[in-house]
Amino acid sequence: MSLKGWKELPPGGVILEAGNSIKYKTGTWRSIRPVWNKDKCINCFMCWLHCPDGSILVRDNKVSGINYDYCKGCGVCAAICPKSAIEMKPESLFEEGEKK
Amino acid sequence: MKKKIPLTGNAAFAEAMRQINPDVVAAYPITPQTEIMMTFAEFVADGLVDTELVTAESEHSAMSACVGASAAGARVMTATSAQGLALMHEVVYIASGLRLPIVMGVVNRALSAPINIHCDHADTMAERDSGWIQIYSETAQEVYDHTILAIRLAEREDVRLPVMVCQDGFITSHGVEPVEILDDEVVKKFIGEFKPWNPLLDTDNPKTYGALDLFDYYFEHKRQQFEAMKHVPKAYEEVAEELSKITGRKYPKVEGFYMDDAEYVIVVMSSTAGTTKHVVKELRAQGKKVGLLKIRLYRPFPKEEISRLLEGKKAVAVLDRAYSVGAEAPLFCEIKSALYDVKAKPVLASYIYGLGGRDTPPSLIRSVYEDLMNGNISKEEKYLGVRE
């Protein structure tokens, strides 16, 4: 997303589009990324319970992945996982395009 | 039909407010501003205005209520002094940063400590970088006229900035003077109907005010504010010209008094300009080539006019009713800066006067002109009327 210049912005920092916070991808703050290993996961939901950003995705009562748009990389999920199914890896290992 | 009535500076501000009939006024009483809100509260109680009067529990809350009401789309006014303005400080920046056209009467008063309720300009000088337009008034008449002018200026599409209308505490605010008042209808027509931009109460188009603005956009929004302030000189001239046609009074950004052939000039703001005019007339009667430059619009600073009017003068004394502890006084500093690009630079002298309401009689002003004429000018600032 390209940033706007001062001539294009509504004066006073007013946001004219309601409900646009969904566009603010806090996942861009992340420097380390949780990588989930499906084979090790026992679906205990400890990660889901502790994730401060609600970024552990669940489908049909099973963990289905991680929402990298909003995951800030805090590492709580990896620390709490009893089976070490989540590993924290530096963002630099991933391609720029892959980082949402 | 114009009518002339005896009013204090405070009553003149309140009278202008009555005629403006703002949608919302939020206030907390503070000396010497109290009389403004007391008078205006009576107007509200008597049904002379349909303003929503918000009596807040502090000035911080009063300015916050003003910000909220202005963002909602209301025409908003308030008034304050000294410690009250200092308590508002953070919200003062929010009002200008959100580009809300609030008009505030400031009755200038010294800042504590030590505690003092009398006039100096330390309070508004502390807000000079806040992004508010600042207009300083010499008389109650100017308070009245400036207030009406300020509403139009603040609400200009190309400006959208809040305005402080300043007057000297107790000197102007409590002294009774004859003030020429316009008809209610004339004022109503002059200020027109307020058309808010992006009002929060336009619920069909929901919007957000005051969102987080980090390193990605904060600088751009400040850049917009700088630009808006650059539009003010032209906007001010247009509005002042329009008001002049109705009142017959002129409101130049800087007012020259016997400046054309003056060799020795005093630069000063607010009520002391009146005292200085009196001394200029006396000295002119003796054939002395003295003049006065009164700064009316202090923010944005009318640098060009000042450098043009002061170029080629022999000696200029800048009188500050404020200070910057550890640096040159604010007005002096800016006058000096304005003269940097001028070829024929006058000799400059800095005087600090009238702090905490210390009286500045004609004799003191005369002593300044004598210093200028006798070449008694030092690099260090002088303190007018302080005991050694």
Side-chain angles (χ1 to χ4, degrees), chain B residues 27-157:
Chain B
Y28 186 85
I30 182 162
T31 305
Q33 170 273 110
T34 316
E35 198 189 6
I36 292 179
M37 281 311 151
M38 257 168 54
T39 312
F40 189 73
E42 277 179 24
F43 294 154
V44 175
D46 293 346
L48 300 178
V49 288
D50 46 26
T51 303
E52 183 72 38
L53 183 67
V54 182
T55 49
E57 98 293 358
S58 76
E59 285 87 351
H60 189 277
S61 301
M63 184 47 72
S64 299
C66 286
V67 164
S70 189
R75 180 177 261 161
V76 180
M77 296 180 76
T78 185
T80 194
S81 289
Q83 306 306 119
L85 181 57
L87 186 53
M88 280 180 183
H89 178 74
E90 72 161 328
V91 197
V92 162
Y93 274 71
I94 292 168
S96 58
L98 292 178
R99 309 287 302 282
L100 303 171
I102 299 163
V103 172
M104 171 160 69
V106 182
V107 184
N108 283 112
R109 166 186 149 183
L111 282 172
S112 299
I115 296 173
N116 182 295
I117 56 166
H118 290 280
C119 176
D120 72 39
H121 299 166
D123 53 356
T124 45
M125 285 297 148
E127 305 300 333
R128 68 182 192 262
D129 301 330
S130 64
W132 283 57
I133 296 165
Q134 289 192 350
I135 307 174
Y136 287 79
S137 318
E138 179 188 329
T139 60
Q141 182 70 64
E142 286 195 353
V143 172
Y144 174 79
D145 293 337
H146 291 166
T147 307
I148 293 163
L149 193 158
I151 289 282
R152 276 286 303 278
L153 185 60
E155 294 173 3
R156 286 263 303 215
E157 180 80 41

Side-chain angles (χ1 to χ4, degrees), chain B residues 126-318:
Chain B
E127 305 300 333
R128 68 182 192 262
D129 301 330
S130 64
W132 283 57
I133 296 165
Q134 289 192 350
I135 307 174
Y136 287 79
S137 318
E138 179 188 329
T139 60
Q141 182 70 64
E142 286 195 353
V143 172
Y144 174 79
D145 293 337
H146 291 166
T147 307
I148 293 163
L149 193 158
I151 289 282
R152 276 286 303 278
L153 185 60
E155 294 173 3
R156 286 263 303 215
E157 180 80 41
D158 53 349
V159 174
R160 301 192 197 182
L161 288 171
V163 185
M164 288 181 197
V165 178
C166 309
Q167 59 172 310
D168 281 353
F170 288 108
I171 303 164
T172 312
S173 70
H174 285 63
V176 180
E177 295 173 47
V179 178
E180 197 175 87
I181 300 294
L182 299 167
D183 277 348
D184 290 3
E185 282 307 309
V186 173
V187 175
K188 199 176 167 186
K189 192 168 166 243
F190 179 78
I191 61 167
E193 202 180 317
F194 174 50
K195 290 188 193 69
W197 321 270
N198 307 323
L200 279 172
L201 285 180
D202 171 17
T203 48
D204 291 336
N205 298 291
K207 52 194 70 70
T208 302
Y209 268 80
L212 191 63
D213 203 14
L214 300 179
F215 41 73
D216 48 0
Y217 279 119
Y218 178 85
F219 205 167
E220 277 70 25
H221 286 123
K222 286 292 146 188
R223 178 68 185 83
Q224 290 180 331
Q225 249 177 289
F226 304 155
E227 190 67 15
M229 200 51 111
K230 285 180 188 175
H231 296 164
V232 174
K234 188 168 169 282
Y236 176 89
E237 273 172 12
E238 286 169 11
V239 177
E241 174 65 28
E242 220 180 298
L243 185 59
S244 280
K245 280 182 187 151
I246 300 171
T247 64
R249 290 179 287 275
K250 297 279 181 201
Y251 315 96
K253 288 173 278 185
V254 292
E255 186 183 313
F257 189 73
Y258 286 90
M259 279 295 284
D260 291 347
D261 63 339
E263 292 174 350
Y264 306 100
V265 177
I266 283 180
V267 181
V268 74
M269 305 200 298
S270 293
S271 65
T272 312
T275 316
T276 310
K277 282 174 182 172
H278 169 75
V279 174
V280 167
K281 279 187 195 165
E282 273 185 354
L283 293 173
R284 279 278 170 177
Q286 297 166 23
K288 312 279 197 232
K289 291 199 166 176
V290 294
L292 156 74
L293 193 64
K294 178 178 95 177
I295 314 284
R296 172 178 275 117
L297 188 67
Y298 179 69
R299 275 294 175 276
F301 195 65
K303 185 183 164 182
E304 279 173 33
E305 285 85 349
I306 289 166
S307 53
R308 181 163 42 77
L309 286 162
L310 292 181
E311 176 159 29
K313 302 300 178 197
K314 280 189 180 160
V316 173
V318 183

Side-chain angles (χ1 to χ4, degrees), chain B residues 367-378:
Chain B
S367 76
V368 174
Y369 279 120
E370 277 159 15
D371 281 351
L372 295 182
M373 291 188 286
N374 299 332
N376 180 20
I377 291 164
S378 60

